[in-house]
Amino acid sequence: MVNIKGGTRPPWVGLGAAVWLQIASGNAYNFPLYSHSLKSVLGFNQQQLTMLGVANDIGENVGLIPGLVCNKFPPWVVLLIGSFACFFGYGVLWLALSQTVQNLPYWLLWIALCVATNSSAWFSTTVLVTNMRNFPLSRGTVAGVLKGYGGLSAAVYTEVYSALLRNSSSKLLLFLALGVPTLSLLMMYFIRPCTPSLGDDSAESYHFLFVQVASIVLGVYVLTTTILEDIFSLNVLVSYTFLVIMVLLLMAPLAIPLKMTFYPSNRGKMTDVSDQDNVSADKSQPLLTPSSSSANLGSFNEGDEISEVDMLLAEGEGAVKKKRRPRRGEDFKFKEALVKADFWLLFLVYFFGVGSGVTVLNNLAQIGIAQGLHDTKILLSLFSFCNFVGRLGGGVVSEYFVRLKAVPRTVWMTCTQVVMIITYLLFASALNGTLYAATALLGVCYGVQFTTMVPTASELFGLKHFGMIFNFMSLGNPLGAYLFSGLLAGFLYDNEAAKQHSATCLGPNCFRVTFLILAGVCGIGTMPSIVLTMRIKPVYQMLYAGGSFRLPQNSNH
């Protein structure tokens, strides 16, 4: 780990670079922008298309290998692998859609999409793990900010798709194949681990507030410009102006390290001096006072045998710590976490919430067309903005209540699943004006599920092996996509289209049964969520007893 204090510039430079990489990691959200072109140009039916959507979600969320690699290698290695995956995967898809290479087999496109969107797992794992370790006392806020920008990425890509690429799906795939890896290569130097600052810093909270406000301004701006471009026919100059302003807003988090450069705080210098004094004091004082029993252990390193009585005496006096399994709130190894009931309860809650939501996201273009909407870009942009609001708001609200009353973050997962039941019933009703409202509500709930799971997993099982644990939880997304989107939604859609003797299904019946089933799924999901909340309440009372997060004694991040 690089010996840089958490209150200095590098962690904030890294957070600013992480914002761009989180936008890049949202490349998987672009599937609705080019899915209809894949269907029409390559002649796929809806079930084939939804299975490609499953490949999209598998690639995005299967991050066990990135989680393992990020604990063994520096962040730039993980980002480099993600860049190669993005280049090769989207490159093959571009060759097929642009018909540069014709008659590519379906299985090859399926694998290519998996590889392409797997870059998202490499990017997001790197920035999340690195930044949550750099700011361990603000992990809920960090998760909310980074996941918020990730949720906003679909709206950013939609802006690029409209203004720069002029609504061309093949150009979008080429942009993803070349532009995203280039961005990753430019930013990889700035994503690096720093020694975290473990004391309360009022300036840090103001810095995070600035980043949150900047992200809200960006979200409102992107949604507004997308609506304007949808309503009015804007010329190229205006579109490019919108794009430039968006890029400037994305650079806003870098204002923090710039401010720290030109207006350095005296507090940071004082902290560094006191830290050095503490280190020198630690060096001058022995960590343990020898006891009679520890003296008996003096020959242990020389290979001598120790009597069982001496070992028990040493353990009793604290000279030797007896090895024990970690408690909730401490650092778990991945295998240790797997045998915990709370681990699987959190997985189930996430599976029911996000797994059902991703079904709507994968079929969003077809849902809009079925209900008579010709331009579905506005739906994706609306979902993206509300997803961002849910992610950022979920992080802020859960952080506020967990510090105020030690309220477990999973309370908000329960609440949003109840709202999702109502949302799916709105979709199923297909009443006039409900499509946009339901899309917005689902986006918020989907975002809250994402941003709540991340800090919850880190608080229950620690940050040491967080990359593996977080990415295993993320498997709930592609599993839900396969069951609810690939096997259910696509099958029912094609059946209804066959009744209409058309390749494109029109009318509310195309997805009505799917939405009713998803409402039932979320109803089931509220039960493990309530159980989990009750089980982990004592853990949160222990971690946040004084109104701020306390690192467990055995944590070693």
mmCIF file of all heavy atoms in Angstrom, residues 352-353 356 411-427 437-449 515 518-523 525-526 529:
data_model
loop_
_atom_site.group_PDB
_atom_site.id
_atom_site.type_symbol
_atom_site.label_atom_id
_atom_site.label_comp_id
_atom_site.label_asym_id
_atom_site.label_seq_id
_atom_site.Cartn_x
_atom_site.Cartn_y
_atom_site.Cartn_z
ATOM 1 N N PHE A 352 -33.710 -11.097 -5.602
ATOM 2 C CA PHE A 352 -35.120 -10.799 -5.873
ATOM 3 C C PHE A 352 -35.315 -9.358 -6.329
ATOM 4 O O PHE A 352 -36.123 -9.097 -7.234
ATOM 5 C CB PHE A 352 -35.970 -11.063 -4.624
ATOM 6 C CG PHE A 352 -36.193 -12.512 -4.327
ATOM 7 C CD1 PHE A 352 -35.823 -13.054 -3.102
ATOM 8 C CD2 PHE A 352 -36.768 -13.356 -5.259
ATOM 9 C CE1 PHE A 352 -36.021 -14.389 -2.827
ATOM 10 C CE2 PHE A 352 -36.974 -14.703 -4.998
ATOM 11 C CZ PHE A 352 -36.592 -15.227 -3.765
ATOM 12 N N GLY A 353 -34.576 -8.426 -5.734
ATOM 13 C CA GLY A 353 -34.757 -7.021 -6.090
ATOM 14 C C GLY A 353 -34.142 -6.652 -7.416
ATOM 15 O O GLY A 353 -34.830 -6.209 -8.345
ATOM 16 N N SER A 356 -35.111 -8.987 -10.641
ATOM 17 C CA SER A 356 -36.379 -8.661 -11.302
ATOM 18 C C SER A 356 -36.269 -7.339 -12.056
ATOM 19 O O SER A 356 -36.803 -7.191 -13.164
ATOM 20 C CB SER A 356 -37.512 -8.597 -10.276
ATOM 21 O OG SER A 356 -37.283 -7.566 -9.330
ATOM 22 N N VAL A 411 -32.959 -2.095 5.755
ATOM 23 C CA VAL A 411 -34.325 -1.550 5.896
ATOM 24 C C VAL A 411 -34.768 -0.919 4.578
ATOM 25 O O VAL A 411 -35.925 -1.068 4.149
ATOM 26 C CB VAL A 411 -34.356 -0.497 7.034
ATOM 27 C CG1 VAL A 411 -35.616 0.351 6.952
ATOM 28 C CG2 VAL A 411 -34.276 -1.184 8.385
ATOM 29 N N TRP A 412 -33.837 -0.249 3.897
ATOM 30 C CA TRP A 412 -34.177 0.453 2.661
ATOM 31 C C TRP A 412 -34.346 -0.524 1.497
ATOM 32 O O TRP A 412 -35.087 -0.243 0.562
ATOM 33 C CB TRP A 412 -33.112 1.504 2.360
ATOM 34 C CG TRP A 412 -32.884 2.368 3.561
ATOM 35 C CD1 TRP A 412 -31.799 2.374 4.388
ATOM 36 C CD2 TRP A 412 -33.814 3.293 4.139
ATOM 37 N NE1 TRP A 412 -31.971 3.249 5.434
ATOM 38 C CE2 TRP A 412 -33.203 3.827 5.306
ATOM 39 C CE3 TRP A 412 -35.084 3.718 3.777
ATOM 40 C CZ2 TRP A 412 -33.832 4.775 6.105
ATOM 41 C CZ3 TRP A 412 -35.711 4.669 4.578
ATOM 42 C CH2 TRP A 412 -35.091 5.185 5.722
ATOM 43 N N MET A 413 -33.699 -1.679 1.575
ATOM 44 C CA MET A 413 -33.927 -2.721 0.565
ATOM 45 C C MET A 413 -35.343 -3.267 0.711
ATOM 46 O O MET A 413 -36.028 -3.535 -0.296
ATOM 47 C CB MET A 413 -32.894 -3.835 0.704
ATOM 48 C CG MET A 413 -31.455 -3.379 0.495
ATOM 49 S SD MET A 413 -30.226 -4.700 0.612
ATOM 50 C CE MET A 413 -30.279 -5.352 -1.063
ATOM 51 N N THR A 414 -35.794 -3.420 1.945
ATOM 52 C CA THR A 414 -37.164 -3.889 2.188
ATOM 53 C C THR A 414 -38.188 -2.882 1.659
ATOM 54 O O THR A 414 -39.147 -3.248 0.961
ATOM 55 C CB THR A 414 -37.396 -4.109 3.690
ATOM 56 O OG1 THR A 414 -36.367 -4.936 4.224
ATOM 57 C CG2 THR A 414 -38.745 -4.750 3.938
ATOM 58 N N CYS A 415 -37.970 -1.611 1.993
ATOM 59 C CA CYS A 415 -38.914 -0.568 1.561
ATOM 60 C C CYS A 415 -39.015 -0.493 0.038
ATOM 61 O O CYS A 415 -40.120 -0.388 -0.519
ATOM 62 C CB CYS A 415 -38.483 0.788 2.108
ATOM 63 S SG CYS A 415 -38.594 0.928 3.902
ATOM 64 N N THR A 416 -37.865 -0.543 -0.635
ATOM 65 C CA THR A 416 -37.900 -0.418 -2.098
ATOM 66 C C THR A 416 -38.519 -1.643 -2.768
ATOM 67 O O THR A 416 -39.146 -1.512 -3.817
ATOM 68 C CB THR A 416 -36.484 -0.179 -2.650
ATOM 69 O OG1 THR A 416 -35.585 -1.154 -2.115
ATOM 70 C CG2 THR A 416 -35.987 1.201 -2.304
ATOM 71 N N GLN A 417 -38.383 -2.817 -2.153
ATOM 72 C CA GLN A 417 -39.031 -3.992 -2.747
ATOM 73 C C GLN A 417 -40.548 -3.889 -2.659
ATOM 74 O O GLN A 417 -41.265 -4.336 -3.558
ATOM 75 C CB GLN A 417 -38.526 -5.274 -2.084
ATOM 76 C CG GLN A 417 -37.089 -5.590 -2.451
ATOM 77 C CD GLN A 417 -36.774 -7.070 -2.452
ATOM 78 O OE1 GLN A 417 -37.646 -7.906 -2.260
ATOM 79 N NE2 GLN A 417 -35.527 -7.399 -2.685
ATOM 80 N N VAL A 418 -41.041 -3.287 -1.592
ATOM 81 C CA VAL A 418 -42.493 -3.053 -1.485
ATOM 82 C C VAL A 418 -42.950 -2.081 -2.579
ATOM 83 O O VAL A 418 -43.980 -2.299 -3.234
ATOM 84 C CB VAL A 418 -42.850 -2.498 -0.088
ATOM 85 C CG1 VAL A 418 -44.315 -2.080 -0.039
ATOM 86 C CG2 VAL A 418 -42.561 -3.538 0.984
ATOM 87 N N VAL A 419 -42.168 -1.017 -2.798
ATOM 88 C CA VAL A 419 -42.492 -0.058 -3.862
ATOM 89 C C VAL A 419 -42.413 -0.728 -5.237
ATOM 90 O O VAL A 419 -43.213 -0.425 -6.133
ATOM 91 C CB VAL A 419 -41.547 1.158 -3.797
ATOM 92 C CG1 VAL A 419 -41.817 2.118 -4.943
ATOM 93 C CG2 VAL A 419 -41.706 1.882 -2.468
ATOM 94 N N MET A 420 -41.478 -1.657 -5.404
ATOM 95 C CA MET A 420 -41.340 -2.353 -6.690
ATOM 96 C C MET A 420 -42.563 -3.200 -7.006
ATOM 97 O O MET A 420 -42.928 -3.364 -8.174
ATOM 98 C CB MET A 420 -40.073 -3.213 -6.695
ATOM 99 C CG MET A 420 -38.784 -2.388 -6.774
ATOM 100 S SD MET A 420 -37.276 -3.360 -6.553
ATOM 101 C CE MET A 420 -37.087 -4.031 -8.210
ATOM 102 N N ILE A 421 -43.214 -3.749 -6.000
ATOM 103 C CA ILE A 421 -44.462 -4.500 -6.224
ATOM 104 C C ILE A 421 -45.491 -3.583 -6.884
ATOM 105 O O ILE A 421 -46.122 -3.951 -7.894
ATOM 106 C CB ILE A 421 -45.008 -5.055 -4.886
ATOM 107 C CG1 ILE A 421 -44.022 -6.049 -4.277
ATOM 108 C CG2 ILE A 421 -46.368 -5.714 -5.107
ATOM 109 C CD1 ILE A 421 -44.383 -6.486 -2.868
ATOM 110 N N ILE A 422 -45.643 -2.392 -6.329
ATOM 111 C CA ILE A 422 -46.587 -1.412 -6.889
ATOM 112 C C ILE A 422 -46.162 -1.015 -8.304
ATOM 113 O O ILE A 422 -46.998 -0.864 -9.207
ATOM 114 C CB ILE A 422 -46.660 -0.176 -5.971
ATOM 115 C CG1 ILE A 422 -47.121 -0.580 -4.566
ATOM 116 C CG2 ILE A 422 -47.582 0.891 -6.558
ATOM 117 C CD1 ILE A 422 -46.980 0.520 -3.531
ATOM 118 N N THR A 423 -44.863 -0.856 -8.506
ATOM 119 C CA THR A 423 -44.348 -0.436 -9.809
ATOM 120 C C THR A 423 -44.658 -1.456 -10.895
ATOM 121 O O THR A 423 -45.093 -1.102 -12.004
ATOM 122 C CB THR A 423 -42.823 -0.223 -9.719
ATOM 123 O OG1 THR A 423 -42.548 0.742 -8.701
ATOM 124 C CG2 THR A 423 -42.272 0.265 -11.041
ATOM 125 N N TYR A 424 -44.452 -2.742 -10.601
ATOM 126 C CA TYR A 424 -44.741 -3.783 -11.597
ATOM 127 C C TYR A 424 -46.236 -3.861 -11.911
ATOM 128 O O TYR A 424 -46.628 -4.153 -13.052
ATOM 129 C CB TYR A 424 -44.230 -5.136 -11.115
ATOM 130 C CG TYR A 424 -42.721 -5.223 -11.077
ATOM 131 C CD1 TYR A 424 -42.056 -5.740 -9.974
ATOM 132 C CD2 TYR A 424 -41.943 -4.775 -12.149
ATOM 133 C CE1 TYR A 424 -40.663 -5.813 -9.931
ATOM 134 C CE2 TYR A 424 -40.562 -4.840 -12.116
ATOM 135 C CZ TYR A 424 -39.936 -5.356 -11.005
ATOM 136 O OH TYR A 424 -38.564 -5.421 -10.972
ATOM 137 N N LEU A 425 -47.061 -3.601 -10.916
ATOM 138 C CA LEU A 425 -48.508 -3.569 -11.168
ATOM 139 C C LEU A 425 -48.868 -2.380 -12.061
ATOM 140 O O LEU A 425 -49.784 -2.478 -12.891
ATOM 141 C CB LEU A 425 -49.270 -3.497 -9.836
ATOM 142 C CG LEU A 425 -49.151 -4.737 -8.932
ATOM 143 C CD1 LEU A 425 -49.891 -4.516 -7.615
ATOM 144 C CD2 LEU A 425 -49.686 -5.988 -9.647
ATOM 145 N N LEU A 426 -48.156 -1.257 -11.904
ATOM 146 C CA LEU A 426 -48.349 -0.110 -12.801
ATOM 147 C C LEU A 426 -47.975 -0.472 -14.238
ATOM 148 O O LEU A 426 -48.682 -0.144 -15.185
ATOM 149 C CB LEU A 426 -47.504 1.070 -12.334
ATOM 150 C CG LEU A 426 -48.076 2.008 -11.274
ATOM 151 C CD1 LEU A 426 -47.065 3.079 -10.931
ATOM 152 C CD2 LEU A 426 -49.376 2.655 -11.763
ATOM 153 N N PHE A 427 -46.828 -1.133 -14.390
ATOM 154 C CA PHE A 427 -46.423 -1.586 -15.732
ATOM 155 C C PHE A 427 -47.486 -2.500 -16.339
ATOM 156 O O PHE A 427 -47.833 -2.382 -17.522
ATOM 157 C CB PHE A 427 -45.096 -2.356 -15.648
ATOM 158 C CG PHE A 427 -43.865 -1.493 -15.758
ATOM 159 C CD1 PHE A 427 -42.981 -1.407 -14.710
ATOM 160 C CD2 PHE A 427 -43.587 -0.798 -16.928
ATOM 161 C CE1 PHE A 427 -41.828 -0.632 -14.793
ATOM 162 C CE2 PHE A 427 -42.442 -0.021 -17.033
ATOM 163 C CZ PHE A 427 -41.561 0.072 -15.965
ATOM 164 N N ALA A 437 -43.942 7.007 -15.356
ATOM 165 C CA ALA A 437 -43.946 6.985 -13.890
ATOM 166 C C ALA A 437 -43.393 5.665 -13.360
ATOM 167 O O ALA A 437 -42.588 5.642 -12.417
ATOM 168 C CB ALA A 437 -45.365 7.213 -13.367
ATOM 169 N N ALA A 438 -43.804 4.560 -13.987
ATOM 170 C CA ALA A 438 -43.330 3.249 -13.548
ATOM 171 C C ALA A 438 -41.840 3.085 -13.812
ATOM 172 O O ALA A 438 -41.104 2.526 -12.984
ATOM 173 C CB ALA A 438 -44.123 2.149 -14.252
ATOM 174 N N THR A 439 -41.375 3.574 -14.961
ATOM 175 C CA THR A 439 -39.948 3.497 -15.294
ATOM 176 C C THR A 439 -39.118 4.292 -14.291
ATOM 177 O O THR A 439 -38.058 3.838 -13.839
ATOM 178 C CB THR A 439 -39.696 4.025 -16.718
ATOM 179 O OG1 THR A 439 -40.469 3.264 -17.652
ATOM 180 C CG2 THR A 439 -38.227 3.933 -17.091
ATOM 181 N N ALA A 440 -39.611 5.481 -13.932
ATOM 182 C CA ALA A 440 -38.897 6.326 -12.968
ATOM 183 C C ALA A 440 -38.840 5.665 -11.593
ATOM 184 O O ALA A 440 -37.782 5.617 -10.947
ATOM 185 C CB ALA A 440 -39.566 7.692 -12.874
ATOM 186 N N LEU A 441 -39.974 5.137 -11.121
ATOM 187 C CA LEU A 441 -40.017 4.481 -9.820
ATOM 188 C C LEU A 441 -39.101 3.268 -9.772
ATOM 189 O O LEU A 441 -38.365 3.058 -8.796
ATOM 190 C CB LEU A 441 -41.452 4.049 -9.496
ATOM 191 C CG LEU A 441 -42.380 5.088 -8.871
ATOM 192 C CD1 LEU A 441 -43.783 4.514 -8.741
ATOM 193 C CD2 LEU A 441 -41.863 5.508 -7.503
ATOM 194 N N LEU A 442 -39.128 2.479 -10.839
ATOM 195 C CA LEU A 442 -38.279 1.285 -10.881
ATOM 196 C C LEU A 442 -36.807 1.668 -10.879
ATOM 197 O O LEU A 442 -35.990 1.016 -10.227
ATOM 198 C CB LEU A 442 -38.606 0.442 -12.116
ATOM 199 C CG LEU A 442 -37.839 -0.879 -12.205
ATOM 200 C CD1 LEU A 442 -38.225 -1.804 -11.067
ATOM 201 C CD2 LEU A 442 -38.077 -1.562 -13.542
ATOM 202 N N GLY A 443 -36.459 2.733 -11.603
ATOM 203 C CA GLY A 443 -35.070 3.179 -11.638
ATOM 204 C C GLY A 443 -34.564 3.551 -10.257
ATOM 205 O O GLY A 443 -33.451 3.166 -9.864
ATOM 206 N N VAL A 444 -35.385 4.281 -9.476
ATOM 207 C CA VAL A 444 -34.994 4.669 -8.115
ATOM 208 C C VAL A 444 -34.796 3.437 -7.233
ATOM 209 O O VAL A 444 -33.779 3.293 -6.540
ATOM 210 C CB VAL A 444 -36.051 5.608 -7.493
ATOM 211 C CG1 VAL A 444 -35.747 5.846 -6.017
ATOM 212 C CG2 VAL A 444 -36.090 6.935 -8.243
ATOM 213 N N CYS A 445 -35.774 2.517 -7.273
ATOM 214 C CA CYS A 445 -35.699 1.313 -6.430
ATOM 215 C C CYS A 445 -34.523 0.430 -6.814
ATOM 216 O O CYS A 445 -33.816 -0.115 -5.953
ATOM 217 C CB CYS A 445 -37.002 0.521 -6.534
ATOM 218 S SG CYS A 445 -38.445 1.399 -5.894
ATOM 219 N N TYR A 446 -34.300 0.286 -8.110
ATOM 220 C CA TYR A 446 -33.173 -0.508 -8.626
ATOM 221 C C TYR A 446 -31.851 0.066 -8.116
ATOM 222 O O TYR A 446 -30.952 -0.669 -7.686
ATOM 223 C CB TYR A 446 -33.235 -0.483 -10.150
ATOM 224 C CG TYR A 446 -32.275 -1.391 -10.871
ATOM 225 C CD1 TYR A 446 -32.514 -2.755 -10.980
ATOM 226 C CD2 TYR A 446 -31.146 -0.884 -11.499
ATOM 227 C CE1 TYR A 446 -31.655 -3.577 -11.673
ATOM 228 C CE2 TYR A 446 -30.272 -1.698 -12.201
ATOM 229 C CZ TYR A 446 -30.536 -3.054 -12.285
ATOM 230 O OH TYR A 446 -29.671 -3.874 -12.970
ATOM 231 N N GLY A 447 -31.747 1.388 -8.139
ATOM 232 C CA GLY A 447 -30.529 2.042 -7.678
ATOM 233 C C GLY A 447 -30.297 1.864 -6.189
ATOM 234 O O GLY A 447 -29.167 1.637 -5.745
ATOM 235 N N VAL A 448 -31.365 1.962 -5.386
ATOM 236 C CA VAL A 448 -31.238 1.790 -3.933
ATOM 237 C C VAL A 448 -30.761 0.377 -3.607
ATOM 238 O O VAL A 448 -29.919 0.176 -2.724
ATOM 239 C CB VAL A 448 -32.579 2.086 -3.229
ATOM 240 C CG1 VAL A 448 -32.520 1.698 -1.756
ATOM 241 C CG2 VAL A 448 -32.931 3.562 -3.369
ATOM 242 N N GLN A 449 -31.298 -0.623 -4.321
ATOM 243 C CA GLN A 449 -30.866 -2.007 -4.082
ATOM 244 C C GLN A 449 -29.363 -2.151 -4.301
ATOM 245 O O GLN A 449 -28.659 -2.785 -3.503
ATOM 246 C CB GLN A 449 -31.625 -2.954 -5.028
ATOM 247 C CG GLN A 449 -33.108 -3.041 -4.798
ATOM 248 C CD GLN A 449 -33.469 -3.909 -3.606
ATOM 249 O OE1 GLN A 449 -32.835 -4.916 -3.350
ATOM 250 N NE2 GLN A 449 -34.479 -3.497 -2.863
ATOM 251 N N PHE A 515 -44.928 -8.962 -15.824
ATOM 252 C CA PHE A 515 -44.947 -7.966 -14.750
ATOM 253 C C PHE A 515 -45.672 -8.487 -13.509
ATOM 254 O O PHE A 515 -45.246 -8.215 -12.377
ATOM 255 C CB PHE A 515 -45.611 -6.676 -15.229
ATOM 256 C CG PHE A 515 -44.782 -5.886 -16.193
ATOM 257 C CD1 PHE A 515 -45.329 -5.386 -17.367
ATOM 258 C CD2 PHE A 515 -43.441 -5.632 -15.948
ATOM 259 C CE1 PHE A 515 -44.565 -4.650 -18.260
ATOM 260 C CE2 PHE A 515 -42.670 -4.901 -16.831
ATOM 261 C CZ PHE A 515 -43.232 -4.406 -17.994
ATOM 262 N N LEU A 518 -43.291 -10.749 -11.739
ATOM 263 C CA LEU A 518 -42.235 -9.977 -11.074
ATOM 264 C C LEU A 518 -42.730 -9.322 -9.792
ATOM 265 O O LEU A 518 -41.993 -9.215 -8.804
ATOM 266 C CB LEU A 518 -41.676 -8.909 -12.021
ATOM 267 C CG LEU A 518 -40.918 -9.415 -13.255
ATOM 268 C CD1 LEU A 518 -40.414 -8.250 -14.091
ATOM 269 C CD2 LEU A 518 -39.752 -10.318 -12.862
ATOM 270 N N ALA A 519 -44.004 -8.892 -9.788
ATOM 271 C CA ALA A 519 -44.584 -8.329 -8.565
ATOM 272 C C ALA A 519 -44.620 -9.382 -7.460
ATOM 273 O O ALA A 519 -44.303 -9.100 -6.290
ATOM 274 C CB ALA A 519 -45.993 -7.802 -8.848
ATOM 275 N N GLY A 520 -44.974 -10.624 -7.833
ATOM 276 C CA GLY A 520 -44.966 -11.717 -6.860
ATOM 277 C C GLY A 520 -43.567 -12.033 -6.358
ATOM 278 O O GLY A 520 -43.367 -12.329 -5.168
ATOM 279 N N VAL A 521 -42.582 -11.958 -7.260
ATOM 280 C CA VAL A 521 -41.188 -12.215 -6.889
ATOM 281 C C VAL A 521 -40.720 -11.216 -5.828
ATOM 282 O O VAL A 521 -40.072 -11.596 -4.845
ATOM 283 C CB VAL A 521 -40.284 -12.144 -8.141
ATOM 284 C CG1 VAL A 521 -38.806 -12.034 -7.755
ATOM 285 C CG2 VAL A 521 -40.510 -13.368 -9.024
ATOM 286 N N CYS A 522 -41.038 -9.940 -6.021
ATOM 287 C CA CYS A 522 -40.637 -8.925 -5.048
ATOM 288 C C CYS A 522 -41.382 -9.097 -3.727
ATOM 289 O O CYS A 522 -40.836 -8.796 -2.654
ATOM 290 C CB CYS A 522 -40.868 -7.527 -5.606
ATOM 291 S SG CYS A 522 -39.549 -6.987 -6.691
ATOM 292 N N GLY A 523 -42.616 -9.592 -3.799
ATOM 293 C CA GLY A 523 -43.348 -9.882 -2.564
ATOM 294 C C GLY A 523 -42.641 -10.958 -1.752
ATOM 295 O O GLY A 523 -42.528 -10.859 -0.519
ATOM 296 N N GLY A 525 -39.435 -11.522 -1.969
ATOM 297 C CA GLY A 525 -38.153 -10.963 -1.576
ATOM 298 C C GLY A 525 -38.199 -10.137 -0.308
ATOM 299 O O GLY A 525 -37.172 -9.972 0.369
ATOM 300 N N THR A 526 -39.359 -9.605 0.047
ATOM 301 C CA THR A 526 -39.450 -8.800 1.276
ATOM 302 C C THR A 526 -39.259 -9.647 2.531
ATOM 303 O O THR A 526 -38.806 -9.139 3.560
ATOM 304 C CB THR A 526 -40.806 -8.076 1.355
ATOM 305 O OG1 THR A 526 -41.870 -9.045 1.307
ATOM 306 C CG2 THR A 526 -40.970 -7.087 0.224
ATOM 307 N N SER A 529 -35.618 -10.174 3.463
ATOM 308 C CA SER A 529 -35.107 -8.846 3.783
ATOM 309 C C SER A 529 -35.452 -8.457 5.222
ATOM 310 O O SER A 529 -34.612 -7.912 5.954
ATOM 311 C CB SER A 529 -35.680 -7.820 2.804
ATOM 312 O OG SER A 529 -35.142 -6.549 3.038
#
